[in-house]
Amino acid sequence: MKCQHCEKPATFHITELIEPDGPKVLHLCEEHARGFLSQEAPTPMASVASALAKQLKLGQTKEELAELDRKACPVCGITFYEFRNAGRLGCPYDYTHFQKDLEPLLSNIHDSLEHQGKRPKRAAPSADRQAQAIQLRREMDEAVEREDYERASEVRDLLRDLETGDADPSDSSSTEEG
Amino acid sequence: MLQNEKLDELAARCGEWLKGTGPESDIVISSRIRLARNLGDFPFIRRCTPEDRQAIERTVSSRMEKLEGWEDVRYVNVAEVSELDRQFLVERQLISRELADAEGARAVAIDPSEQFSVMINEEDHLRLQVMHSGLDLTKAWDQINHLDDLLEGVINYAVHPKYGYLTACPTNVGTGLRVSVMMHLPALVITHQIDKVFRSLQKISVTVRGLYGEGSQFTGDFYQVSNQITLGKSEQELVEQVGEVVPVLIDYERRARQFLIDQSEQDLHDDVSRALGILCTAKKISSDETMHYLSKVRMGVNLGLIDSVPVKKINELFIHTQPGHLQKLHGRLLSSSDRNVQRASYLHDHLTQ
């Protein structure tokens, strides 16, 4: 028997039981099976893709979706289109930047929008401060790339100051949340 | 923390989660809980530069090193070990296939009893995992919660006031928690009831996955039950949700086993004894075939039809006859056909002792 995705022999036979219309048997070669098995169950891409499909059905026009696809995060630079294709976000700030667009998706996947579980006892640095650290890291990499070592070293010092501040326990207070 | 210690010693023994004890261990192989966590001031892995990955690995390892009681924790620099060692770690379920196949700085911290491991630079910066033998979700949750508390004391996690712990994939956001129970359900498979049982579970937010074929995962009549959502319910609620489904499946499996015995105990006895006979006497045997017969023997042992092999030994053989383990135990790389010969010899030695 040949693999469902290529010409190689199918050495893996996987019964997928999460399909809504009953069990589905997949016949795959080692390479394709490995890719398939390394995904979480249910496959994150499948969940994200189906949630996005529902979102489109629920009233977003193609033009609106095209506009959304071009939207980019100012911190990590990922576009919504890239996220849609990979099923993975680029940085923690994406949850803030794409909040309006992600919420229907989260609601489709989890049927909820509010975290109910534990929270770190120690207050995390603010989203702005974390975004600043990510941006500084990018700036440093860019400076190294264009061989502007003076700027790279300045940025590195700024980053170190920011990190030292983060790592200092006196900088954070107990919030007793959750 | 022990750095990149040779994994050969680990290969020769058996992890805590395979000891074949714990509640319901005739049907439940293991209970696993994992938490996905990210550092707040780095991009998620897909947008990380090689330098970012190195910085994350260094930051996490240097902070973990200072944790109290972590002196004996093994630290394996996954980027620096051989491909065989990576395969071995995947088979042992200490790292994921994704981490093994990734590029750039990545590592895993493993406690000496192999109950917990912390992967660095997987899909998320950190993936914490705790595994126990049998059905032991409450203990696994307490342990991983403690581990998470320890790490959050030294690492600034990415957290959102509304969405909780932030993850690279929105399917993990909130608690970042995935509860997975690995179950051995051969009688439900033999009686063709397995699909019907699982279809009935689809309505209640749990996922069931069956695997069959040669690979680095448990195969044969093994099924993994896990929670589907991670946001909107507390960790305890999610653990309970999976914990409530498992006894139902255990009950179905026990009834199916009883049905098989009532129908024809002799046929069943013959079937499992023949399986043991093949495993003991074959001169070459593939991984698929081994899984198939070991699954039958495991059921035979648990039903009291075979009393010459302890269940712990069977659990070990499932892992030790996989390609990575077999080659580690043999001390060198082997071709597929050499592996089949070596596997048969290994089975003979360990089942006829």
Side-chain angles (χ1 to χ4, degrees), chain B residues 127-155:
Chain B
R127 286 274 172 110
L128 290 55
Q129 140 179 314
V130 166
M131 264 178 113
H132 282 278
S133 182
L135 181 61
D136 213 349
L137 289 174
T138 310
K139 197 167 151 202
W141 163 246
D142 288 345
Q143 199 174 355
I144 204 165
N145 190 24
H146 175 68
L147 183 64
D148 187 42
D149 288 347
L150 272 180
L151 289 174
E152 76 170 26
V154 290
I155 292 165

PDB file of all heavy atoms in Angstrom, chain B residues 127-155:
ATOM      1  N   ARG B 127       8.076  23.274  28.217  1.00  0.00           N
ATOM      2  CA  ARG B 127       7.012  22.273  28.313  1.00  0.00           C
ATOM      3  C   ARG B 127       7.356  21.411  29.520  1.00  0.00           C
ATOM      4  O   ARG B 127       8.351  20.686  29.495  1.00  0.00           O
ATOM      5  CB  ARG B 127       6.965  21.402  27.050  1.00  0.00           C
ATOM      6  CG  ARG B 127       6.371  22.118  25.832  1.00  0.00           C
ATOM      7  CD  ARG B 127       4.859  21.975  25.843  1.00  0.00           C
ATOM      8  NE  ARG B 127       4.198  22.767  24.825  1.00  0.00           N
ATOM      9  CZ  ARG B 127       3.587  22.263  23.751  1.00  0.00           C
ATOM     10  NH1 ARG B 127       3.611  20.982  23.527  1.00  0.00           N
ATOM     11  NH2 ARG B 127       2.956  23.040  22.917  1.00  0.00           N
ATOM     12  N   LEU B 128       6.562  21.540  30.588  1.00  0.00           N
ATOM     13  CA  LEU B 128       6.782  20.753  31.800  1.00  0.00           C
ATOM     14  C   LEU B 128       5.913  19.509  31.697  1.00  0.00           C
ATOM     15  O   LEU B 128       4.753  19.608  31.280  1.00  0.00           O
ATOM     16  CB  LEU B 128       6.313  21.523  33.040  1.00  0.00           C
ATOM     17  CG  LEU B 128       7.056  22.755  33.544  1.00  0.00           C
ATOM     18  CD1 LEU B 128       7.217  23.814  32.495  1.00  0.00           C
ATOM     19  CD2 LEU B 128       6.323  23.330  34.746  1.00  0.00           C
ATOM     20  N   GLN B 129       6.456  18.373  32.085  1.00  0.00           N
ATOM     21  CA  GLN B 129       5.650  17.154  32.013  1.00  0.00           C
ATOM     22  C   GLN B 129       5.898  16.267  33.230  1.00  0.00           C
ATOM     23  O   GLN B 129       7.032  16.161  33.695  1.00  0.00           O
ATOM     24  CB  GLN B 129       5.993  16.425  30.709  1.00  0.00           C
ATOM     25  CG  GLN B 129       6.084  14.951  30.828  1.00  0.00           C
ATOM     26  CD  GLN B 129       6.394  14.234  29.532  1.00  0.00           C
ATOM     27  OE1 GLN B 129       5.824  14.498  28.488  1.00  0.00           O
ATOM     28  NE2 GLN B 129       7.311  13.300  29.610  1.00  0.00           N
ATOM     29  N   VAL B 130       4.827  15.688  33.755  1.00  0.00           N
ATOM     30  CA  VAL B 130       4.950  14.723  34.843  1.00  0.00           C
ATOM     31  C   VAL B 130       4.251  13.445  34.413  1.00  0.00           C
ATOM     32  O   VAL B 130       3.147  13.492  33.863  1.00  0.00           O
ATOM     33  CB  VAL B 130       4.322  15.271  36.149  1.00  0.00           C
ATOM     34  CG1 VAL B 130       4.134  14.164  37.168  1.00  0.00           C
ATOM     35  CG2 VAL B 130       5.187  16.369  36.744  1.00  0.00           C
ATOM     36  N   MET B 131       4.888  12.304  34.634  1.00  0.00           N
ATOM     37  CA  MET B 131       4.296  11.017  34.246  1.00  0.00           C
ATOM     38  C   MET B 131       4.294  10.052  35.406  1.00  0.00           C
ATOM     39  O   MET B 131       5.281   9.956  36.136  1.00  0.00           O
ATOM     40  CB  MET B 131       5.114  10.398  33.121  1.00  0.00           C
ATOM     41  CG  MET B 131       4.546  10.680  31.772  1.00  0.00           C
ATOM     42  SD  MET B 131       5.586   9.971  30.548  1.00  0.00           S
ATOM     43  CE  MET B 131       4.532   8.738  29.944  1.00  0.00           C
ATOM     44  N   HIS B 132       3.177   9.349  35.579  1.00  0.00           N
ATOM     45  CA  HIS B 132       3.075   8.337  36.625  1.00  0.00           C
ATOM     46  C   HIS B 132       2.543   7.039  36.051  1.00  0.00           C
ATOM     47  O   HIS B 132       1.794   7.047  35.082  1.00  0.00           O
ATOM     48  CB  HIS B 132       2.128   8.808  37.726  1.00  0.00           C
ATOM     49  CG  HIS B 132       2.761   9.786  38.656  1.00  0.00           C
ATOM     50  ND1 HIS B 132       3.559   9.411  39.686  1.00  0.00           N
ATOM     51  CD2 HIS B 132       2.734  11.139  38.676  1.00  0.00           C
ATOM     52  CE1 HIS B 132       3.988  10.475  40.321  1.00  0.00           C
ATOM     53  NE2 HIS B 132       3.520  11.546  39.721  1.00  0.00           N
ATOM     54  N   SER B 133       2.901   5.949  36.710  1.00  0.00           N
ATOM     55  CA  SER B 133       2.390   4.646  36.301  1.00  0.00           C
ATOM     56  C   SER B 133       0.943   4.520  36.799  1.00  0.00           C
ATOM     57  O   SER B 133       0.632   4.961  37.902  1.00  0.00           O
ATOM     58  CB  SER B 133       3.275   3.576  36.945  1.00  0.00           C
ATOM     59  OG  SER B 133       2.862   2.316  36.562  1.00  0.00           O
ATOM     60  N   GLY B 134       0.075   3.932  36.002  1.00  0.00           N
ATOM     61  CA  GLY B 134      -1.319   3.753  36.420  1.00  0.00           C
ATOM     62  C   GLY B 134      -2.108   5.059  36.418  1.00  0.00           C
ATOM     63  O   GLY B 134      -1.636   6.087  35.924  1.00  0.00           O
ATOM     64  N   LEU B 135      -3.310   4.999  36.956  1.00  0.00           N
ATOM     65  CA  LEU B 135      -4.189   6.176  36.973  1.00  0.00           C
ATOM     66  C   LEU B 135      -3.936   6.976  38.251  1.00  0.00           C
ATOM     67  O   LEU B 135      -4.381   6.596  39.329  1.00  0.00           O
ATOM     68  CB  LEU B 135      -5.665   5.727  36.905  1.00  0.00           C
ATOM     69  CG  LEU B 135      -6.714   6.834  36.885  1.00  0.00           C
ATOM     70  CD1 LEU B 135      -6.552   7.736  35.676  1.00  0.00           C
ATOM     71  CD2 LEU B 135      -8.122   6.248  36.882  1.00  0.00           C
ATOM     72  N   ASP B 136      -3.206   8.062  38.110  1.00  0.00           N
ATOM     73  CA  ASP B 136      -2.785   8.813  39.280  1.00  0.00           C
ATOM     74  C   ASP B 136      -2.763  10.306  38.954  1.00  0.00           C
ATOM     75  O   ASP B 136      -1.748  10.977  39.132  1.00  0.00           O
ATOM     76  CB  ASP B 136      -1.376   8.329  39.672  1.00  0.00           C
ATOM     77  CG  ASP B 136      -1.155   8.383  41.166  1.00  0.00           C
ATOM     78  OD1 ASP B 136      -2.008   8.973  41.842  1.00  0.00           O
ATOM     79  OD2 ASP B 136      -0.144   7.843  41.626  1.00  0.00           O
ATOM     80  N   LEU B 137      -3.889  10.826  38.490  1.00  0.00           N
ATOM     81  CA  LEU B 137      -3.909  12.199  37.987  1.00  0.00           C
ATOM     82  C   LEU B 137      -3.747  13.245  39.089  1.00  0.00           C
ATOM     83  O   LEU B 137      -3.100  14.269  38.887  1.00  0.00           O
ATOM     84  CB  LEU B 137      -5.203  12.447  37.208  1.00  0.00           C
ATOM     85  CG  LEU B 137      -5.297  11.725  35.859  1.00  0.00           C
ATOM     86  CD1 LEU B 137      -6.666  11.906  35.242  1.00  0.00           C
ATOM     87  CD2 LEU B 137      -4.220  12.231  34.909  1.00  0.00           C
ATOM     88  N   THR B 138      -4.345  12.992  40.249  1.00  0.00           N
ATOM     89  CA  THR B 138      -4.257  13.995  41.323  1.00  0.00           C
ATOM     90  C   THR B 138      -2.807  14.173  41.763  1.00  0.00           C
ATOM     91  O   THR B 138      -2.333  15.299  41.910  1.00  0.00           O
ATOM     92  CB  THR B 138      -5.123  13.555  42.531  1.00  0.00           C
ATOM     93  OG1 THR B 138      -6.409  13.226  42.019  1.00  0.00           O
ATOM     94  CG2 THR B 138      -5.241  14.637  43.560  1.00  0.00           C
ATOM     95  N   LYS B 139      -2.106  13.047  41.928  1.00  0.00           N
ATOM     96  CA  LYS B 139      -0.703  13.123  42.336  1.00  0.00           C
ATOM     97  C   LYS B 139       0.132  13.810  41.243  1.00  0.00           C
ATOM     98  O   LYS B 139       1.000  14.629  41.532  1.00  0.00           O
ATOM     99  CB  LYS B 139      -0.176  11.706  42.605  1.00  0.00           C
ATOM    100  CG  LYS B 139       1.094  11.680  43.400  1.00  0.00           C
ATOM    101  CD  LYS B 139       1.351  10.264  43.889  1.00  0.00           C
ATOM    102  CE  LYS B 139       2.842  10.022  44.044  1.00  0.00           C
ATOM    103  NZ  LYS B 139       3.181   8.613  44.008  1.00  0.00           N
ATOM    104  N   ALA B 140      -0.167  13.462  39.999  1.00  0.00           N
ATOM    105  CA  ALA B 140       0.575  14.070  38.889  1.00  0.00           C
ATOM    106  C   ALA B 140       0.328  15.576  38.855  1.00  0.00           C
ATOM    107  O   ALA B 140       1.255  16.366  38.644  1.00  0.00           O
ATOM    108  CB  ALA B 140       0.168  13.425  37.564  1.00  0.00           C
ATOM    109  N   TRP B 141      -0.921  15.993  39.103  1.00  0.00           N
ATOM    110  CA  TRP B 141      -1.219  17.425  39.100  1.00  0.00           C
ATOM    111  C   TRP B 141      -0.499  18.130  40.251  1.00  0.00           C
ATOM    112  O   TRP B 141       0.111  19.192  40.052  1.00  0.00           O
ATOM    113  CB  TRP B 141      -2.733  17.693  39.161  1.00  0.00           C
ATOM    114  CG  TRP B 141      -3.017  19.108  39.556  1.00  0.00           C
ATOM    115  CD1 TRP B 141      -3.617  19.545  40.693  1.00  0.00           C
ATOM    116  CD2 TRP B 141      -2.633  20.297  38.832  1.00  0.00           C
ATOM    117  NE1 TRP B 141      -3.639  20.910  40.729  1.00  0.00           N
ATOM    118  CE2 TRP B 141      -3.039  21.395  39.601  1.00  0.00           C
ATOM    119  CE3 TRP B 141      -1.973  20.525  37.628  1.00  0.00           C
ATOM    120  CZ2 TRP B 141      -2.814  22.722  39.201  1.00  0.00           C
ATOM    121  CZ3 TRP B 141      -1.735  21.838  37.221  1.00  0.00           C
ATOM    122  CH2 TRP B 141      -2.168  22.912  37.996  1.00  0.00           C
ATOM    123  N   ASP B 142      -0.538  17.550  41.450  1.00  0.00           N
ATOM    124  CA  ASP B 142       0.139  18.171  42.593  1.00  0.00           C
ATOM    125  C   ASP B 142       1.632  18.354  42.297  1.00  0.00           C
ATOM    126  O   ASP B 142       2.207  19.391  42.602  1.00  0.00           O
ATOM    127  CB  ASP B 142      -0.010  17.295  43.856  1.00  0.00           C
ATOM    128  CG  ASP B 142      -1.429  17.342  44.397  1.00  0.00           C
ATOM    129  OD1 ASP B 142      -2.185  18.249  43.983  1.00  0.00           O
ATOM    130  OD2 ASP B 142      -1.784  16.476  45.209  1.00  0.00           O
ATOM    131  N   GLN B 143       2.211  17.339  41.687  1.00  0.00           N
ATOM    132  CA  GLN B 143       3.648  17.392  41.413  1.00  0.00           C
ATOM    133  C   GLN B 143       3.985  18.450  40.353  1.00  0.00           C
ATOM    134  O   GLN B 143       4.922  19.222  40.522  1.00  0.00           O
ATOM    135  CB  GLN B 143       4.105  16.007  40.935  1.00  0.00           C
ATOM    136  CG  GLN B 143       5.591  15.805  41.067  1.00  0.00           C
ATOM    137  CD  GLN B 143       5.974  14.369  40.716  1.00  0.00           C
ATOM    138  OE1 GLN B 143       5.129  13.514  40.473  1.00  0.00           O
ATOM    139  NE2 GLN B 143       7.264  14.113  40.675  1.00  0.00           N
ATOM    140  N   ILE B 144       3.194  18.500  39.290  1.00  0.00           N
ATOM    141  CA  ILE B 144       3.514  19.467  38.223  1.00  0.00           C
ATOM    142  C   ILE B 144       3.197  20.894  38.697  1.00  0.00           C
ATOM    143  O   ILE B 144       3.891  21.848  38.337  1.00  0.00           O
ATOM    144  CB  ILE B 144       2.803  19.129  36.881  1.00  0.00           C
ATOM    145  CG1 ILE B 144       3.600  19.744  35.726  1.00  0.00           C
ATOM    146  CG2 ILE B 144       1.358  19.563  36.842  1.00  0.00           C
ATOM    147  CD1 ILE B 144       3.252  19.212  34.375  1.00  0.00           C
ATOM    148  N   ASN B 145       2.193  21.025  39.536  1.00  0.00           N
ATOM    149  CA  ASN B 145       1.844  22.341  40.072  1.00  0.00           C
ATOM    150  C   ASN B 145       3.007  22.857  40.923  1.00  0.00           C
ATOM    151  O   ASN B 145       3.387  24.031  40.834  1.00  0.00           O
ATOM    152  CB  ASN B 145       0.561  22.206  40.919  1.00  0.00           C
ATOM    153  CG  ASN B 145      -0.015  23.547  41.304  1.00  0.00           C
ATOM    154  OD1 ASN B 145       0.222  24.556  40.626  1.00  0.00           O
ATOM    155  ND2 ASN B 145      -0.758  23.575  42.394  1.00  0.00           N
ATOM    156  N   HIS B 146       3.590  21.974  41.710  1.00  0.00           N
ATOM    157  CA  HIS B 146       4.728  22.350  42.543  1.00  0.00           C
ATOM    158  C   HIS B 146       5.924  22.739  41.669  1.00  0.00           C
ATOM    159  O   HIS B 146       6.601  23.740  41.914  1.00  0.00           O
ATOM    160  CB  HIS B 146       5.076  21.175  43.472  1.00  0.00           C
ATOM    161  CG  HIS B 146       6.308  21.399  44.286  1.00  0.00           C
ATOM    162  ND1 HIS B 146       6.363  22.351  45.287  1.00  0.00           N
ATOM    163  CD2 HIS B 146       7.537  20.834  44.226  1.00  0.00           C
ATOM    164  CE1 HIS B 146       7.582  22.342  45.818  1.00  0.00           C
ATOM    165  NE2 HIS B 146       8.305  21.436  45.185  1.00  0.00           N
ATOM    166  N   LEU B 147       6.146  21.940  40.618  1.00  0.00           N
ATOM    167  CA  LEU B 147       7.245  22.209  39.687  1.00  0.00           C
ATOM    168  C   LEU B 147       7.053  23.572  39.014  1.00  0.00           C
ATOM    169  O   LEU B 147       7.996  24.369  38.894  1.00  0.00           O
ATOM    170  CB  LEU B 147       7.251  21.088  38.638  1.00  0.00           C
ATOM    171  CG  LEU B 147       8.329  21.066  37.580  1.00  0.00           C
ATOM    172  CD1 LEU B 147       9.693  20.859  38.205  1.00  0.00           C
ATOM    173  CD2 LEU B 147       8.051  19.923  36.584  1.00  0.00           C
ATOM    174  N   ASP B 148       5.827  23.851  38.630  1.00  0.00           N
ATOM    175  CA  ASP B 148       5.487  25.117  37.986  1.00  0.00           C
ATOM    176  C   ASP B 148       5.714  26.293  38.960  1.00  0.00           C
ATOM    177  O   ASP B 148       6.266  27.321  38.576  1.00  0.00           O
ATOM    178  CB  ASP B 148       4.016  25.050  37.541  1.00  0.00           C
ATOM    179  CG  ASP B 148       3.591  26.239  36.710  1.00  0.00           C
ATOM    180  OD1 ASP B 148       4.377  26.663  35.843  1.00  0.00           O
ATOM    181  OD2 ASP B 148       2.475  26.748  36.928  1.00  0.00           O
ATOM    182  N   ASP B 149       5.309  26.110  40.215  1.00  0.00           N
ATOM    183  CA  ASP B 149       5.523  27.148  41.238  1.00  0.00           C
ATOM    184  C   ASP B 149       7.011  27.448  41.396  1.00  0.00           C
ATOM    185  O   ASP B 149       7.414  28.606  41.516  1.00  0.00           O
ATOM    186  CB  ASP B 149       4.945  26.706  42.595  1.00  0.00           C
ATOM    187  CG  ASP B 149       3.422  26.725  42.605  1.00  0.00           C
ATOM    188  OD1 ASP B 149       2.839  27.308  41.681  1.00  0.00           O
ATOM    189  OD2 ASP B 149       2.823  26.150  43.542  1.00  0.00           O
ATOM    190  N   LEU B 150       7.806  26.371  41.426  1.00  0.00           N
ATOM    191  CA  LEU B 150       9.260  26.547  41.574  1.00  0.00           C
ATOM    192  C   LEU B 150       9.821  27.368  40.411  1.00  0.00           C
ATOM    193  O   LEU B 150      10.595  28.304  40.614  1.00  0.00           O
ATOM    194  CB  LEU B 150       9.954  25.181  41.549  1.00  0.00           C
ATOM    195  CG  LEU B 150      10.124  24.403  42.832  1.00  0.00           C
ATOM    196  CD1 LEU B 150      10.853  23.089  42.528  1.00  0.00           C
ATOM    197  CD2 LEU B 150      10.941  25.203  43.847  1.00  0.00           C
ATOM    198  N   LEU B 151       9.408  27.005  39.195  1.00  0.00           N
ATOM    199  CA  LEU B 151       9.953  27.685  38.014  1.00  0.00           C
ATOM    200  C   LEU B 151       9.459  29.124  37.904  1.00  0.00           C
ATOM    201  O   LEU B 151      10.217  30.005  37.513  1.00  0.00           O
ATOM    202  CB  LEU B 151       9.617  26.897  36.740  1.00  0.00           C
ATOM    203  CG  LEU B 151      10.371  25.571  36.580  1.00  0.00           C
ATOM    204  CD1 LEU B 151       9.856  24.800  35.378  1.00  0.00           C
ATOM    205  CD2 LEU B 151      11.874  25.812  36.421  1.00  0.00           C
ATOM    206  N   GLU B 152       8.196  29.358  38.260  1.00  0.00           N
ATOM    207  CA  GLU B 152       7.679  30.734  38.135  1.00  0.00           C
ATOM    208  C   GLU B 152       8.332  31.649  39.169  1.00  0.00           C
ATOM    209  O   GLU B 152       8.301  32.861  39.036  1.00  0.00           O
ATOM    210  CB  GLU B 152       6.156  30.771  38.233  1.00  0.00           C
ATOM    211  CG  GLU B 152       5.633  30.606  39.641  1.00  0.00           C
ATOM    212  CD  GLU B 152       4.137  30.878  39.770  1.00  0.00           C
ATOM    213  OE1 GLU B 152       3.419  30.713  38.790  1.00  0.00           O
ATOM    214  OE2 GLU B 152       3.736  31.241  40.885  1.00  0.00           O
ATOM    215  N   GLY B 153       8.954  31.043  40.189  1.00  0.00           N
ATOM    216  CA  GLY B 153       9.686  31.839  41.175  1.00  0.00           C
ATOM    217  C   GLY B 153      10.965  32.430  40.601  1.00  0.00           C
ATOM    218  O   GLY B 153      11.484  33.416  41.120  1.00  0.00           O
ATOM    219  N   VAL B 154      11.481  31.822  39.531  1.00  0.00           N
ATOM    220  CA  VAL B 154      12.750  32.322  38.973  1.00  0.00           C
ATOM    221  C   VAL B 154      12.633  32.764  37.507  1.00  0.00           C
ATOM    222  O   VAL B 154      13.578  33.288  36.936  1.00  0.00           O
ATOM    223  CB  VAL B 154      13.861  31.239  39.090  1.00  0.00           C
ATOM    224  CG1 VAL B 154      14.261  31.030  40.538  1.00  0.00           C
ATOM    225  CG2 VAL B 154      13.432  29.906  38.466  1.00  0.00           C
ATOM    226  N   ILE B 155      11.480  32.513  36.897  1.00  0.00           N
ATOM    227  CA  ILE B 155      11.309  32.865  35.473  1.00  0.00           C
ATOM    228  C   ILE B 155      10.058  33.719  35.306  1.00  0.00           C
ATOM    229  O   ILE B 155       9.021  33.413  35.895  1.00  0.00           O
ATOM    230  CB  ILE B 155      11.181  31.578  34.604  1.00  0.00           C
ATOM    231  CG1 ILE B 155      12.510  30.812  34.595  1.00  0.00           C
ATOM    232  CG2 ILE B 155      10.766  31.901  33.179  1.00  0.00           C
ATOM    233  CD1 ILE B 155      12.404  29.392  34.093  1.00  0.00           C
TER     234      ILE B 155
END
